[in-house]
Amino acid sequence: MVEPFPTELLGEGFRASRYLQQDDTSEVSAALRYAWRDEEVGVDVVLWTAINDTAQVIRAAPDIEELAHKVSVAVWELEPEDEASADVQS
């Protein structure tokens, strides 16, 4: 299941949940994913969790969603390597 997931920090994204039974076992796995595209910085952001304990994902879902609302992109301007090495030699 995929649905829109807007956040204040990253804008419109998507939340996807999936339940999957492996071919070789009766165990059911659960996955919960969030994804955004930050056009300003030019990056994709993905937050995901997957586990064989579906009840654990269901219990943790509110906390994971709270975390997803707090995810942001930070960009630091780093000095070029040649300038950094010149400072070390001084």
Side-chain angles (χ1 to χ4, degrees), residues 1-22:
M1 177 172 64
V2 177
E3 56 192 346
F5 186 80
T7 64
E8 186 176 323
L9 299 172
L10 290 175
E12 186 75 20
F14 293 97
R15 173 181 41 220
S17 57
R18 181 176 183 189
Y19 298 94
L20 173 68
Q21 183 174 354
Q22 302 294 332

Side-chain angles (χ1 to χ4, degrees), residues 42-89:
V43 297
D44 296 317
V45 179
V46 179
L47 170 67
W48 65 275
T49 187
I51 192 166
N52 289 338
D53 184 350
T54 57
Q56 187 173 1
V57 169
I58 292 168
R59 284 191 307 271
D63 294 328
I64 296 168
E65 184 163 317
E66 182 180 342
L67 173 64
H69 278 286
K70 295 177 181 180
V71 172
S72 65
V73 174
V75 177
W76 293 279
E77 293 296 325
L78 302 176
E79 295 179 19
E81 288 184 29
D82 57 342
E83 288 181 27
S85 61
D87 291 340
V88 173
Q89 294 174 358

Side-chain angles (χ1 to χ4, degrees), residues 13-48:
F14 293 97
R15 173 181 41 220
S17 57
R18 181 176 183 189
Y19 298 94
L20 173 68
Q21 183 174 354
Q22 302 294 332
D23 291 335
D24 58 343
T25 180
S26 62
E27 222 169 47
V28 175
S29 298
L32 182 57
R33 298 176 184 177
Y34 296 83
W36 303 266
R37 173 77 182 156
D38 188 325
E39 294 292 343
E40 184 178 328
V41 179
V43 297
D44 296 317
V45 179
V46 179
L47 170 67
W48 65 275

